[in-house]
Amino acid sequence: EVIVVDDGSTDGSAEAARRVSDDRVRVLHCPATGSAAGARNVGIAEVRGRFLTFQDSDDWWHPDKLDLQMRVLTDPANPSLVATGCNWRLMQPGIRLRGGDTSTNHQRFSREAILHGRLTGVINTPMLLIDTERAAQTPHFDTSFRSLEERDFLYQLLPAKGEPLAILDSVLVDVRRGRADHVANPEGTLSGYERFLSKYDAELTDYPDVRDWYHYCAMRESLILRRRTTTSLAAVCKLWSRPLTR
């Protein structure tokens, strides 16, 4: 099934989805949730199947992505596997992922690898495929996160023991950057690091170096934000000081 969540789009995408004549495609309409996490929760609540994956409106998948991940996730040799991720690349204009290295070679990781920040883009939502029956809890995004919600989401789903996560070596997702990453939105990213530090204070007590790393990341975003605010203020002051002209 494909669940399309329309939370206030204005680009005609909801109308395009409704024109798909396939009973497996369902279009959900809801008021603007204010975040991708909120929209994803609306979709999760309607899921009927065992396996769960996400696709953002502006990213692209390799045609074989789901097939390759399902092979790994359902392999009898991997009975404790809960989720798979994959590698990605920045989108190139006019070029879509076709062919290339499409093996099922992968590496296994523990839950702690997420807490320690060893995995970032490869566990973002467009890269994930999840077996909800093996997950430690029902999938749900914490909407109090303005960023890092994907890291928090997967950390909550994985059991504490073993290596329940596999990352495929293959590049299977084209990602478009510029909407809400830390370069474009340092304020939101700063808030995410602060929320992560608060929510996982007890877990991070055992890893002081990791805690320090999160504090460093928060400080970096704060400096980016301060520099931009100062630059903007300076630009306004400069404009204000110009003599008025007719």
Side-chain angles (χ1 to χ4, degrees), residues 125-208:
T125 44
M127 293 67 165
L128 289 178
L129 177 64
I130 299 159
D131 184 342
T132 60
E133 291 188 3
R134 295 177 182 172
Q137 66 175 42
T138 301
H140 182 80
F141 285 90
D142 184 343
T143 56
S144 68
F145 279 88
R146 293 180 61 187
S147 69
L148 300 190
E149 74 279 3
E150 294 159 312
R151 184 178 305 187
D152 168 73
F153 171 77
L154 187 57
Y155 185 75
Q156 292 290 329
L157 288 183
L158 297 182
K161 296 182 179 180
E163 296 179 323
L165 174 65
I167 304 298
L168 275 68
D169 297 338
S170 299
V171 176
L172 301 175
V173 180
D174 264 341
V175 174
R176 190 190 307 274
R177 273 291 177 86
R179 293 179 311 163
D181 61 13
H182 81 96
V183 175
N185 184 20
E187 183 178 5
T189 308
L190 170 60
S191 173
Y193 281 118
E194 290 175 337
R195 176 73 180 105
F196 203 89
L197 281 163
S198 172
K199 184 171 183 176
Y200 296 108
D201 179 68
E203 288 89 339
L204 291 171
T205 298
D206 296 330
Y207 305 103

Side-chain angles (χ1 to χ4, degrees), residues 7 11 22 27 37 57 81 98 135 153 174 183 219 222 233-235:
D7 65 340
D11 60 358
D22 191 322
V27 182
S57 60
L81 200 58
R98 302 280 179 185
F153 171 77
D174 264 341
V183 175
M219 180 180 66
S222 179
L233 180 60

Side-chain angles (χ1 to χ4, degrees), residues 24-226:
R24 296 172 298 177
V25 178
R26 287 187 285 152
V27 182
L28 306 180
H29 301 279
C30 63
T33 61
S35 68
R40 289 168 186 149
N41 284 338
V42 170
I44 290 172
E46 296 293 324
V47 167
R48 299 169 182 165
R50 170 179 175 177
F51 298 96
L52 176 65
T53 188
F54 304 90
Q55 176 62 304
D56 291 341
S57 60
D58 58 351
D59 298 331
W60 290 77
W61 281 348
H62 189 287
D64 297 329
K65 174 184 181 292
L66 293 182
D67 176 58
L68 293 168
Q69 289 184 301
M70 282 294 290
R71 286 192 220 169
V72 175
L73 197 55
T74 60
D75 189 332
N78 299 324
S80 62
L81 200 58
V82 173
T84 61
C86 65
N87 278 283
W88 58 277
R89 70 178 189 182
L90 289 179
M91 190 174 293
Q92 303 175 40
I95 301 176
R96 295 289 176 260
L97 283 170
R98 302 280 179 185
D101 175 20
T102 55
S103 73
T104 56
N105 294 335
H106 60 275
Q107 301 180 59
R108 297 285 293 266
F109 294 92
S110 67
R111 184 175 186 243
E112 281 67 32
I114 298 174
L115 182 69
H116 293 184
R118 291 170 53 198
L119 303 170
T120 52
V122 293
I123 59 169
N124 286 352
T125 44
M127 293 67 165
L128 289 178
L129 177 64
I130 299 159
D131 184 342
T132 60
E133 291 188 3
R134 295 177 182 172
Q137 66 175 42
T138 301
H140 182 80
F141 285 90
D142 184 343
T143 56
S144 68
F145 279 88
R146 293 180 61 187
S147 69
L148 300 190
E149 74 279 3
E150 294 159 312
R151 184 178 305 187
D152 168 73
F153 171 77
L154 187 57
Y155 185 75
Q156 292 290 329
L157 288 183
L158 297 182
K161 296 182 179 180
E163 296 179 323
L165 174 65
I167 304 298
L168 275 68
D169 297 338
S170 299
V171 176
L172 301 175
V173 180
D174 264 341
V175 174
R176 190 190 307 274
R177 273 291 177 86
R179 293 179 311 163
D181 61 13
H182 81 96
V183 175
N185 184 20
E187 183 178 5
T189 308
L190 170 60
S191 173
Y193 281 118
E194 290 175 337
R195 176 73 180 105
F196 203 89
L197 281 163
S198 172
K199 184 171 183 176
Y200 296 108
D201 179 68
E203 288 89 339
L204 291 171
T205 298
D206 296 330
Y207 305 103
D209 291 344
V210 176
R211 183 197 296 274
D212 288 346
W213 178 77
Y214 278 103
H215 278 295
Y216 161 78
C217 291
M219 180 180 66
R220 177 192 65 193
E221 303 307 319
S222 179
L223 290 173
I224 293 173
L225 182 62
R226 181 181 302 178

